[in-house]
Amino acid sequence: MELRKSYFADQRKDDLHEIGQPRPRSDSPGHVTGKTAYFADRNFPGMLHLKMVRSPHHHARIRSIDISEVEKHPGVVKVLTAKDVPHNVYTILILIQIGPEDETVLADGKVRWKGEAVVAILAETERAAQEAAAKVKVDYEVLPAVFDMEEALKPGAPIVNEYHGQNYYLYDSGECRKVRLGDVEAGFAGADHVLEQAYQSSPIEHAPTETTGCIVAPEGNDRFTCYTNTQAMFFTLDNASIILQMPGNKLHFVGGTVGGGFGGKVDVIVEPIAILGAKLTGRPVSFIYSREEEMQISSPRAAEKVVIKDGVMKDGRIVARKVTGYTDAGAYSRHSPYGAQKGAGHYPGPYTIPNVWIDTYCVYTNRTPSSAMRGFGVTIGDFALEVQMDKLARLIGMDPLEFRFINAYRDGDMKAHRQPTEGAALIECMQEASRAANWPVAEKYLSMSSYTKGA
Amino acid sequence: MAIRRGRGVAAINYPTGMNLGGDPTQALVHSTPTGNFMVTLSSVDLGQGMKQIMAQICAETIGVPTDRVVVDTADTDTGPHCMGTFASRGTHRAGNAVIQAAREARQVMLEVAAEELEVNASDLETDGQGNILVKGAPQRSISIFDVALSAHFKRGRSISGRGMFLIPRSYPEKETGAMKPSTCYAHACTVAEVEVDDETGEVTVLTVKNVFEIGRALNPKLVEQQLVGGSWMGISHALYETTEPYYPNRDHGGTDFNQYLMPGPGDLAETEIIVLERPSADGPYGAKGPGEMCANPQIPAVANAVFDAVGVRIDTLPITPERILRALKAQAGAPN
Amino acid sequence: MAKVPVQFTLNGAEKAEFIDSGTTLLNALRDKIGDTSPKGGCHQGTCGACSVILDGELRLSCLTLAETCNGAAITTTSGLSEGGVLHPLQRAFLDAFATQCGFCTPGMIMAAKVLLDHTPNPSRDEVVEALSGNICRCTGYEPIIQAVLTAARSNSQHAA
């Protein structure tokens, strides 16, 4: 890695002692000796293992659940169903006033995705829990499912989640988050070329080497310590408090070094049910995702569809950009309404465009609920935007890098969401990339600056 | 049939912190009797080096070497509230909270030192090595070790401080979308060079040259770790990763590392990282969040390079050999 | 369930336990013996985090039954440093900033140690081959490859 200090040298003082120094990491000696304690490196006497019985169907009504054989299975200590969860219908962003509550801790009457948790089994050993899981009898009435976002948005599509009542998240702005600047239709009308293209992704797994999990130990004083690899301690504690209808002061969360997160450990899934198990049995409980669960049950990055329509002039100026983004939330909200909204704030990318129209939708389908991941709400949008930029440059016969210089935002430029640009540095990144990659651009672009429109 | 080369570019920006703000983080700082400093947080270290960076930020602000700072975090019984480690917010939000707490602690420390040296606290400075000096008269000094002992056993002072950082929440205007998503943005430009085998559809990323602007590299080695790993993940996203290979079809999802593909140690692109620093106005020592954005520009850069190589656009991720071959067939006019 | 006895040496020390038949070596080490340096990243032999050295060979402890290890000599990453002095591989991982979350690190170090034990001066390709059964999600692998090459060089200097 090279630090190029010649850029923005006037904005930076180099008078610091500790900042800017390549100090060794204080946690590395623990890592290389195997002594760093991860949550699962604790072992409590009498610890129970929690296994979930999951839905084999994408969408089904639950007619009945029969756990009589399970409770008799050797080693099984407790079997939990929806009626055991004090506040079974929840949503995690309720803490920042983004509702409605739309997800069940354990399925109640219905399953909305293949893999949804239905029954929790607590047993002396993992093996006993697994064997017992096979003895749960659930009578399902399979319902039509919808997997395609466009199908889901059509009238008459099966309703994925009744708590929403329609297959999209209802923002205060309506069926989507909107951003409007200028007159995008007039921009298209006056453009030399108009290009509309659609981009698509599929769900992506965080794949941390350490799977999601927690170990809960009763403290013996009506408090419960939850050793967890959550990325957000109080966010998880407060949501567990709501789900369990337990005062927060009865909960003690202990984290530490987490074996990779990438956004995959911000859902509140394993902790509440494990705490409930510990409370109802009085014993320590371990609930750790298998690799298979991590891959297909834990929330992935959402699949997205992004449609971009641009008006561009022969001289390289983009004069209008319309973006319609669809985020596939799967069956429940989790963080997806937030992610789709974040996309609305990100488009049209780091470019100054006078006429902008953005709609971002959060769509429900019968698949594993998606949630946050590194680059949440932006990563797939950037793929779409930057491939579109390449296409536009080629459409008007311009070098793709020079084309970006022409449109790059600079300090003071008004963004589509009506904030003036501050602290821009896109131009300088491109100038350095031009040099490092030996990708020549005209001198006028090399003399540009993010500070001013002076070029 | 041939191996074809191409290259592509992409440029991006990325917000630091939770979208629309409203995401608090608090920190507490106190000294031990012998002048070591404890930072107490509830932020989580995911491997990015949160604890190390918070120690350096505290050390810089107090004026002691980093090894005199211990970070105690991720315990809700002791650590004050942190919204969490996500949204490229850890360094920015927690760092600002630590600075505020450390400044308050430093002020008490200087007041105690001033009493010991019989000068005004405003006339004192730290040397970064663990000593407090009178400005302009460095021979008049006292060690932070002695200042802490004095505070604890003689003067009855607590060398401690509280820090809180909160960007007020922005609420989007319904019709126009007027809002303030973030207070600062990191930037990047990536040039990727690929080889595409037009017989098998396989893509090899030969080189990626990444330029990242991250505000300030508080610890360049930790920044480098994030950027190198992120660049790898970006390439992985571009070419390999999906839990539903035939989305929206729900079948064929991988359940282990043999089926869920990522580049292994034998599949690495030659990776160049260049860092620019435009300090952010509200970042701790100018830092922005580099953790997420560093994995974004490689995806479109690779996609554009594939087009440059073989002349077909793959607008669906990941860019698999199957998709490339189907596109090449379609381009040649053959039925899919 | 019937218990079976197992006896082996772990990092040079004698260990004897009664375990449930079918217990993996990984679970025996972690839950019974208390050596948590091997990590359970997948329990299906696809991530390498559980790697240990068994009679000089690299083994996935999650796919090895503990009861098959009677009489074996087992080495884990927690046993590499002697008298508080880091093994050259551990030192090299530190110096190369080759750890981030650290979860894959003990397995990586095991794989690297077996390589260097058999091939003291490996080529880059040999290092890549040796690490190819171990998943890392943080580092992009390059710092780990560099750490192993550095450790090999420092070993050969010691030998010279």
Side-chain angles (χ1 to χ4, degrees):
Chain A
M1 184 183 91
E2 276 182 84
L3 268 171
R4 289 263 167 205
K5 297 226 170 203
S6 52
Y7 294 90
F8 309 112
D10 59 320
Q11 297 203 345
R12 190 181 54 244
K13 285 190 291 184
D14 283 314
D15 59 347
L16 303 173
H17 293 277
E18 301 299 318
I19 295 300
Q21 297 301 319
R23 303 271 183 248
R25 294 175 61 131
S26 56
D27 55 0
S28 286
H31 293 350
V32 302
T33 54
K35 291 192 167 52
T36 299
Y38 299 83
F39 84 92
D41 291 341
R42 294 175 181 87
N43 194 7
F44 294 93
M47 187 163 76
L48 301 175
H49 298 266
L50 193 155
K51 284 280 168 206
M52 278 294 176
V53 177
R54 301 187 176 280
S55 163
H57 303 295
H58 300 292
H59 195 190
R61 202 175 312 286
I62 298 175
R63 290 201 194 98
S64 65
I65 300 175
D66 178 1
I67 55 171
S68 53
E69 292 300 309
V70 187
E71 287 173 319
K72 288 184 226 157
H73 188 83
V76 170
V77 174
K78 188 83 190 168
V79 183
L80 304 175
T81 58
K83 66 179 179 354
D84 296 303
V85 184
H87 186 82
N88 192 41
V89 182
Y90 76 105
T91 196
I92 40 188
L93 286 180
I94 204 81
L95 290 175
I96 57 168
Q97 301 86 45
I98 297 178
E101 294 181 313
D102 73 342
E103 180 164 7
T104 50
V105 175
L106 293 174
D108 189 5
K110 216 178 163 194
V111 289
R112 300 175 180 85
W113 59 283
K114 185 178 173 180
E116 181 159 3
V118 181
V119 175
I121 297 172
L122 293 139
E124 302 282 355
T125 62
E126 280 186 77
R127 182 169 169 175
Q130 215 131 29
E131 287 167 351
K135 296 188 173 175
V136 173
K137 292 177 199 142
V138 184
D139 183 14
Y140 292 103
E141 175 194 346
V142 176
L143 301 171
V146 61
F147 303 109
D148 183 284
M149 288 194 280
E150 276 172 57
E151 294 296 320
L153 291 173
K154 282 181 185 163
I159 293 295
V160 174
N161 188 318
E162 301 79 2
Y163 296 102
H164 294 281
Q166 68 284 322
N167 287 336
Y168 55 84
Y169 184 80
L170 193 60
Y171 292 96
D172 61 0
S173 51
E175 72 277 13
C176 59
R177 178 56 72 198
K178 303 170 187 170
V179 175
R180 306 282 185 265
L181 184 73
D183 183 341
V184 76
E185 292 304 330
F188 292 140
D192 290 333
H193 299 276
V194 173
L195 180 70
E196 183 173 6
Q197 297 278 287
Y199 302 88
Q200 180 72 56
S201 73
S202 55
I204 294 173
E205 167 54 27
H206 311 78
T209 48
E210 176 201 51
T211 61
T212 303
C214 69
I215 292 175
V216 180
E219 288 185 4
N221 55 359
D222 215 21
R223 290 187 93 215
F224 295 85
T225 303
C226 178
Y227 301 94
T228 166
N229 59 9
T230 179
Q231 292 179 226
M233 305 299 295
F234 278 98
F235 186 75
T236 307
L237 185 153
D238 291 334
N239 268 301
S241 171
I242 292 170
I243 290 166
L244 300 171
Q245 298 286 289
M246 273 170 88
N249 60 28
K250 299 293 181 197
L251 299 172
H252 176 197
F253 275 54
V254 178
T257 297
V258 171
F262 311 106
K265 291 168 178 168
V266 296
D267 294 336
V268 183
I269 307 290
V270 291
E271 293 89 353
I273 193 73
I275 295 167
L276 182 64
K279 187 179 177 197
L280 295 179
T281 62
R283 291 175 58 176
V285 171
S286 164
F287 182 17
I288 303 176
Y289 274 180
S290 66
R291 180 52 61 183
E292 184 170 356
E293 285 176 308
E294 193 68 35
M295 287 287 181
Q296 289 289 332
I297 301 301
S298 78
S299 305
R301 180 196 297 287
E304 288 184 51
K305 179 177 180 180
V306 183
V307 181
I308 306 178
K309 183 178 179 183
D310 286 330
V312 65
M313 307 305 287
K314 285 177 197 156
D315 65 8
R317 287 174 297 127
I318 304 170
V319 291
R321 173 164 283 177
K322 183 175 184 177
V323 183
T324 313
Y326 303 90
T327 297
D328 190 338
Y332 297 109
S333 289
R334 298 197 183 167
H335 291 88
S336 290
Y338 164 93
Q341 171 162 285
K342 186 176 172 187
H346 182 68
Y347 295 118
Y351 304 107
T352 299
I353 300 172
N355 303 294
V356 177
W357 173 296
I358 297 161
D359 289 335
T360 58
Y361 294 80
C362 173
V363 184
Y364 298 100
T365 63
N366 291 106
R367 61 166 37 78
T368 308
S370 63
S371 200
M373 186 174 180
R374 191 179 203 172
F376 193 24
V378 170
T379 298
I380 304 304
D382 277 350
F383 160 67
L385 286 172
E386 287 300 295
V387 173
Q388 179 84 358
M389 290 298 283
D390 207 64
K391 291 178 184 175
L392 292 172
R394 289 172 191 269
L395 181 64
I396 58 170
M398 190 170 274
D399 176 85
L401 191 50
E402 293 190 342
F403 176 63
R404 287 172 170 84
F405 277 102
I406 290 171
N407 292 288
Y409 73 172
R410 291 183 263 186
D411 289 1
D413 286 358
M414 186 55 67
K415 295 188 186 181
H417 53 260
R418 297 172 198 241
Q419 287 290 324
T421 302
E422 297 171 307
L426 192 75
I427 284 168
E428 288 75 8
C429 284
M430 296 194 296
Q431 288 167 340
E432 183 56 25
S434 160
R435 187 203 63 77
N438 193 23
W439 183 314
V441 294
E443 178 56 34
K444 62 179 174 178
Y445 302 116
L446 296 176
S447 59
M448 283 172 77
S449 164
S450 288
Y451 291 175
T452 63
K453 281 283 192 191
Chain B
M1 294 295 170
I3 306 285
R4 300 186 187 278
R5 273 199 183 207
R7 70 174 180 173
V9 66
I12 58 122
N13 68 343
Y14 197 84
T16 293
M18 263 181 82
N19 185 52
L20 302 172
D23 54 330
T25 289
Q26 302 187 16
L28 299 172
V29 168
H30 73 265
S31 92
T32 67
T34 53
N36 294 306
F37 288 84
M38 181 68 73
V39 179
T40 316
L41 301 163
S42 66
S43 309
V44 176
D45 199 324
L46 305 173
Q48 79 281 53
M50 181 91 182
K51 284 178 277 197
Q52 178 63 31
I53 284 300
M54 292 307 127
Q56 285 184 233
I57 288 173
C58 178
E60 182 68 51
T61 309
I62 301 263
V64 294
T66 296
D67 60 12
R68 286 182 63 169
V69 179
V70 175
V71 178
D72 168 26
T73 193
D75 185 327
T76 59
D77 273 10
T78 57
H81 180 216
C82 170
M83 189 89 193
T85 305
F86 48 77
S88 299
R89 64 183 301 285
T91 296
H92 190 268
R93 304 302 202 248
N96 273 315
V98 168
I99 287 175
Q100 191 182 43
R103 278 191 184 139
E104 194 175 311
R106 176 185 164 94
Q107 182 57 33
V108 179
M109 178 181 80
L110 293 180
E111 285 168 16
V112 172
E115 289 182 52
E116 293 293 327
L117 293 169
E118 298 179 333
V119 294
N120 287 325
S122 58
D123 292 332
L124 296 174
E125 62 187 3
T126 46
D127 68 354
Q129 307 301 314
N131 301 297
I132 297 169
L133 324 172
V134 178
K135 287 178 196 166
Q139 70 282 6
R140 291 184 66 195
S141 72
I142 183 170
S143 72
I144 289 172
F145 180 97
D146 286 333
V147 171
L149 283 177
S150 167
H152 279 263
F153 295 104
K154 189 166 145 193
R155 311 237 172 229
R157 300 289 303 273
S158 168
I159 298 178
S160 59
R162 301 161 297 168
M164 167 79 191
F165 190 73
L166 174 66
I167 306 262
R169 183 151 166 201
S170 165
Y171 291 88
E173 210 280 323
K174 288 179 205 172
E175 295 308 319
T176 64
M179 59 179 145
K180 184 150 185 147
S182 180
T183 59
C184 63
Y185 291 79
H187 300 87
C189 182
T190 290
V191 176
E193 194 181 11
V194 303
E195 271 180 3
V196 183
D197 183 330
D198 66 8
E199 190 170 4
T200 65
E202 279 182 291
V203 178
T204 305
V205 182
L206 302 172
T207 66
V208 276
K209 297 186 190 299
N210 301 293
V211 182
F212 297 114
E213 186 281 312
I214 61 162
R216 189 89 196 228
L218 302 185
N219 179 325
K221 293 304 289 186
L222 268 63
V223 164
E224 182 179 18
Q225 288 190 306
Q226 287 286 291
L227 302 182
V228 172
S231 181
W232 170 86
M233 189 181 277
I235 293 168
S236 185
H237 273 28
L239 298 179
Y240 299 95
E241 295 188 43
T242 174
T243 58
E244 299 185 38
Y246 297 97
Y247 176 92
N249 183 311
R250 206 41 206 95
D251 302 328
H252 307 290
T255 56
D256 63 34
F257 287 115
N258 291 338
Q259 296 164 345
Y260 188 86
L261 302 182
M262 302 184 285
D267 308 315
L268 306 181
E270 190 184 316
T271 301
E272 188 173 333
I273 307 279
I274 297 168
V275 167
L276 312 187
E277 298 176 314
R278 184 178 188 187
S280 76
D282 71 347
Y285 297 102
K288 303 170 179 176
E292 296 181 273
M293 68 96 186
C294 60
N296 287 348
Q298 300 79 19
I299 306 172
V302 167
N304 293 335
V306 168
F307 174 80
D308 192 47
V310 289
V312 294
R313 286 287 178 190
I314 309 300
D315 292 336
T316 300
L317 290 176
I319 302 166
T320 57
E322 179 178 349
R323 291 202 167 105
I324 290 174
L325 289 180
R326 288 188 190 281
L328 286 170
K329 272 191 180 176
Q331 185 191 45
N336 251 333
Chain C
M1 190 182 295
K3 302 282 181 184
V4 292
V6 289
Q7 193 167 1
F8 48 73
T9 64
L10 176 65
N11 300 318
E14 287 281 345
K15 301 288 174 188
E17 289 288 342
F18 285 99
I19 58 163
D20 291 334
S21 181
T23 301
T24 63
L25 177 60
L26 175 65
N27 286 345
L29 289 173
R30 289 176 57 83
D31 302 341
K32 283 286 188 176
I33 293 169
D35 182 350
T36 55
S37 65
K39 303 299 178 193
C42 71
H43 300 275
Q44 55 187 195
T46 64
C47 81
C50 68
S51 300
V52 301
I53 303 172
L54 193 141
D55 291 335
E57 298 298 328
L58 191 65
R59 285 289 276 271
L60 294 166
S61 65
C62 79
L63 294 186
T64 303
L65 292 179
E67 59 212 83
T68 67
C69 299
N70 273 309
I74 296 169
T75 302
T76 65
T77 293
S78 68
L80 281 196
S81 59
E82 284 179 32
V85 179
L86 294 178
H87 184 276
L89 268 167
Q90 293 173 316
R91 184 79 251 163
F93 269 66
L94 275 191
D95 293 343
F97 285 79
T99 75
Q100 285 190 41
C101 84
F103 200 79
C104 75
T105 307
M108 288 283 182
I109 288 178
M110 288 289 96
K113 183 168 190 306
V114 171
L115 169 71
L116 298 191
D117 287 349
H118 292 278
T119 312
N121 289 299
S123 65
R124 181 189 167 94
D125 284 350
E126 286 170 320
V127 173
V128 163
E129 179 69 28
L131 299 178
S132 62
N134 294 64
I135 300 285
C136 171
R137 188 59 158 160
C138 301
T139 65
Y141 295 101
E142 187 61 37
I144 298 174
I145 296 168
Q146 291 306 322
V148 178
L149 289 169
T150 303
R153 281 196 294 274
S154 76
N155 270 347
S156 63
Q157 277 161 9
H158 283 303

